[in-house]
Amino acid sequence: MTNFTGNEKPISPAAPVMRPARGVGIAGYGAYVPRYRLPGKEISRVWTEGNTPPTVAEKSVPGLDEDVITMAVEAARNALDRAGTDPSGIGAVWVGSESHPYAVKPSSSVVAEAIGASPNLLAADWEFACKAGSEAMQAAVGMVGSGMIRYALAIGMDTAQGRPGDALEYTAGAGGGAFLIGPAEDALAVIEASYSYATDTPDFWRRDHAQYPSHAQRFTGEPAYFKHVTRAARTLLAGTGASPADFRYAVFHQPNPKFPQRAAELLGFTREQIQAGLLAPQIGNTYAGSALIGLTAVLDQAAPGDRILVVSFGSGAGSDAFQLTVTEKLLERRPRAPRTADYISRRKEIDYGVYARYRGKLKM
Amino acid sequence: MDIARHWRLRRQRYALVGEQCGHCREYIFPPRDICPHCGEEAGPVHAMCGRGEVYSFTVVHEPPTGYETQAPYAVALVKLAEGPLVTAQLTDVDAADIKIGMPVEMVTRRLRTDGAEGVIQYGYKFRPHLAVS
Ligand SMILES: [Zn+2]
């Protein structure tokens, strides 16, 4: 990490930043975090006699009756409440996750039915490790921006699992966000430009039928997370002509608290700019939900005119980057649904035994 | 598990979709052919707002088949804001904290699963009102 600057290759002037044919933005947003919290020190107690300093203070844990579908439904309802849109006018419901309850049978069709959006729509599940949700956002911008549909709902949600005792168990949390993407004239934040960057990088994976993911240890840092996040951010900024100082807020994917802080540093963003969207210390890494729920927390306190940078990261590997500007509509829509902080402050601490039961780690 | 029955009822189970009687204006849940209030034909469709209060409740320690993994859990009669009484599980709450008259709101959760390989049934439950700032 020490020698890496993210500046190794110059970005060509014709950088392929994406802009829709018609203006597009976020018409409504919503978050969800389950109620239960497992402190990092509890994992350390069970596996290392308390000798491993926890990466995060605590992580969120879903209840026995929760999964990506139920959590996506609640976040989606919050997004619709804020937008005030008739759900039957939504042309796409897309759920990005790496913990869909079914291997075959879409989460999205259940979510669409539950929110009253069925049946005139595209419904699909997206996969790309932790950037499955932001990938759905990119596609939503495309379909809304082309005029094919008026609204698309893009959701990033996960109930991440870490192998017991593994480093990832300390951070693997649950939660996410939902964004109703619509025309710019109905947006609480306009998506001015976006960019996606992807390469074949084997930093983290889970094989079919495997319960827990595997990772390439230190390989997850420089060639994976930092390279993709910084390249995506720098290419987007080069394309829009913006500099870090033009942004009030920035959100980077948060596999732990340190990576996004380091990414901000490499790109020239301050601690203050990333503070509002940095939720990993309180809920852990929500995988496909991570960058998206960070953005919900930023929108919970942003003001009209504020500019926001969002950069996701998905192992395997890729990043999606978005440049947004908040509009006046945010002020009237924000109070129509619970804020992300309301979910985070609703917390019941559990011990490792209850966690093992809730997460299906006990063989009966 | 009756997949076909659950599928037919999915709108009422996922989102508390009932009816508002076109004759006497009373709200009806679950949906019926005949309005229980005035005896006329029921309908049209109306989605309940999801808010209500605990009318009475009990805690289940010996669960029926399909619900074993969730016990102990509370089952309540919830009086919806629109009037109808609904039987449903309470969730995201400790049994000791449940009180008659407690305000609750509808959430869509996993109701039961048909083993590790079977279909997952989703439907309404109620939780204490989320405290908002
Ligand atoms: Zn009637």
Side-chain angles (χ1 to χ4, degrees):
Chain A
M1 202 186 292
T2 44
N3 298 323
F4 187 79
T5 67
N7 281 319
E8 278 73 13
K9 283 184 193 164
I11 289 164
S12 81
V17 162
M18 300 188 284
R19 294 178 201 270
R22 311 191 328 182
V24 169
I26 295 168
Y29 70 95
Y32 185 74
V33 180
R35 176 185 183 223
Y36 303 98
R37 301 285 179 277
L38 179 66
K41 62 177 178 352
E42 180 68 3
I43 302 174
S44 177
R45 176 184 73 82
V46 168
W47 292 107
T48 69
E49 296 184 340
N51 287 320
T52 302
T55 332
V56 298
E58 55 188 24
K59 66 171 187 172
S60 53
V61 178
L64 283 164
D65 59 0
E66 296 187 282
D67 61 23
V68 161
I69 288 176
T70 68
M71 293 162 57
V73 167
E74 182 154 348
R77 285 180 175 146
N78 288 333
L80 290 178
D81 285 348
R82 284 205 170 95
T85 307
D86 176 2
S88 66
I90 298 173
V93 172
W94 288 332
V95 182
S97 181
E98 57 182 86
S99 41
H100 291 290
Y102 289 97
V104 177
K105 186 184 183 306
S107 299
S108 51
S109 57
V110 184
V111 174
E113 193 85 56
I115 63 172
S118 302
N120 301 309
L121 80 168
L122 289 139
D125 292 0
W126 294 69
E127 283 189 27
F128 194 146
C130 296
K131 88 172 189 86
S134 59
E135 189 90 46
M137 278 179 72
Q138 290 282 36
V141 171
M143 284 203 73
V144 173
S146 71
M148 286 176 71
I149 56 178
R150 188 164 170 83
Y151 293 101
L153 185 62
I155 304 170
M157 194 64 67
D158 253 311
T159 56
Q161 289 266 32
R163 191 183 303 279
D166 184 87
L168 293 183
E169 192 182 29
Y170 287 88
T171 52
F179 292 91
L180 187 70
I181 306 297
E185 65 269 18
D186 186 36
L188 54 80
V190 172
I191 298 173
E192 295 168 333
S194 61
Y195 173 69
S196 286
Y197 179 75
T199 71
D200 175 11
T201 307
D203 56 318
F204 170 99
W205 61 90
R206 179 167 63 82
R207 292 282 299 277
D208 206 8
H209 303 302
Q211 187 179 2
Y212 299 113
S214 304
H215 52 97
Q217 300 293 348
R218 306 198 80 82
F219 195 53
T220 57
E222 283 188 23
Y225 179 89
F226 292 106
K227 176 181 165 189
H228 292 78
V229 167
T230 57
R231 287 292 290 187
R234 290 185 61 243
T235 306
L236 179 64
L237 267 53
T240 63
S243 69
D246 295 328
F247 293 86
R248 179 79 191 277
Y249 301 100
V251 180
F252 301 104
H253 173 60
Q254 305 158 28
N256 53 52
K258 278 185 187 157
F259 277 28
Q261 290 175 18
R262 174 73 180 141
E265 216 172 281
L266 288 167
L267 290 163
F269 286 85
T270 64
R271 289 275 170 121
E272 291 68 39
Q273 284 168 299
I274 64 167
Q275 196 55 42
L278 188 59
L279 307 180
Q282 295 160 286
I283 59 173
N285 177 8
T286 55
Y287 285 59
S290 176
L292 274 63
I293 197 171
L295 176 57
T296 68
V298 165
L299 291 171
D300 278 346
Q301 49 175 273
D306 284 350
R307 200 173 256 178
I308 304 166
L309 174 71
V310 181
V311 187
S312 66
F313 171 74
S315 290
S319 281
D320 299 310
F322 302 87
Q323 178 174 316
L324 304 98
T325 297
V326 173
T327 77
E328 294 285 342
K329 289 196 168 63
L330 176 62
L331 301 180
E332 51 162 325
R333 293 185 187 183
R334 184 157 54 201
R336 295 177 185 167
R339 298 187 192 209
T340 307
D342 296 326
Y343 284 106
I344 293 175
S345 55
R346 176 188 76 141
R347 59 180 287 286
K348 179 179 167 65
E349 197 173 307
I350 55 175
D351 62 18
Y352 198 91
V354 172
Y355 161 74
R357 179 188 170 194
Y358 282 9
R359 299 307 286 136
K361 293 174 192 293
L362 301 172
K363 291 271 181 265
M364 311 280 269
Chain B
M1 187 185 297
D2 191 341
I3 291 175
R5 178 179 151 79
H6 183 79
W7 174 73
R8 279 195 306 275
L9 301 178
R10 67 193 183 284
R11 296 200 65 212
Q12 71 179 59
R13 289 201 173 158
Y14 290 171
L16 281 179
V17 175
E19 294 164 319
Q20 184 180 16
C21 178
H23 304 278
C24 69
R25 311 302 297 161
E26 292 284 341
Y27 293 94
I28 307 163
F29 189 90
R32 317 193 183 191
D33 295 335
I34 300 295
C35 173
H37 304 283
C38 70
E40 299 288 333
E41 192 180 333
V45 163
H46 178 89
M48 305 296 148
C49 73
R51 285 185 294 278
E53 60 178 53
V54 174
Y55 184 79
S56 73
F57 71 97
T58 184
V59 177
V60 175
H61 294 275
E62 302 290 336
T65 309
Y67 298 87
E68 299 90 339
T69 56
Q70 294 180 36
Y73 56 84
V75 173
L77 266 176
V78 171
K79 188 161 180 57
L80 300 178
E82 290 89 348
L85 274 175
V86 176
T87 305
Q89 268 191 46
L90 300 180
T91 188
D92 290 356
V93 64
D94 299 342
D97 296 333
I98 303 171
K99 292 180 178 59
I100 304 287
M102 183 171 82
V104 291
E105 58 194 4
M106 188 272 286
V107 290
T108 305
R109 295 290 173 91
R110 290 165 80 117
L111 294 182
R112 54 177 295 191
T113 54
D114 195 3
E117 297 191 2
V119 76
I120 305 165
Q121 284 186 352
Y122 297 90
Y124 54 79
K125 295 188 182 183
F126 289 82
R127 71 160 178 227
H129 257 193
L130 189 76
V132 295
S133 53

